[in-house]
Amino acid sequence: MRKTLFITFLTILLWSCKENKEDNFDVPTTVTAEIKEIPVEPQLAIVNVDQLRMRNLPDLSSSIIVELSEGDTLYYLNQRTLETTELILREQTINAPWLKVRTTNGL
């Protein structure tokens, strides 16, 4: 008798769990989400190399927009190249990406 009651109780319990699972976890096969582009504030950057050449395009042969002095303030516009370029700065060879920046006067 105890076994029969236990098996009946267990069957009812499992059956009710199965119904709740089907009711509460009905997930659609396709999910659509709205994607919004969040604007990022430009970050303040300080030039740490004297006579740094700001160029029109990310290439050493590109035209020079302005020559910056050590201590000048720039705004990093949160964009950079994936490729790096080998440069010699302060007698050190570095490989670095090009960064998109804006001067305080809008260049």
Side-chain angles (χ1 to χ4, degrees), residues 51-105:
Q51 299 176 341
L52 181 67
R53 295 180 187 118
M54 184 173 165
R55 297 189 180 267
N56 190 38
L57 296 171
D59 186 270
L60 290 173
S61 62
S62 179
S63 62
I64 298 170
I65 296 173
V66 67
E67 197 168 278
L68 303 165
S69 300
E70 187 173 1
D72 284 351
T73 303
L74 297 171
Y75 295 102
Y76 171 51
L77 302 176
N78 300 302
Q79 292 182 18
R80 68 180 189 94
T81 60
L82 296 176
E83 302 85 28
T84 60
T85 301
E86 188 174 293
L87 300 170
I88 298 174
L89 296 174
R90 293 190 175 173
E91 299 175 7
Q92 291 184 355
T93 302
I94 62 167
N95 274 314
W98 290 83
L99 306 177
K100 187 170 185 177
V101 295
R102 184 179 66 224
T103 62
T104 53
N105 61 358

Side-chain angles (χ1 to χ4, degrees), residues 3-16:
K3 271 187 174 179
T4 307
L5 286 175
F6 179 72
I7 291 173
T8 305
F9 172 76
L10 192 58
T11 304
I12 292 171
L13 180 65
L14 291 174
W15 180 71
S16 67

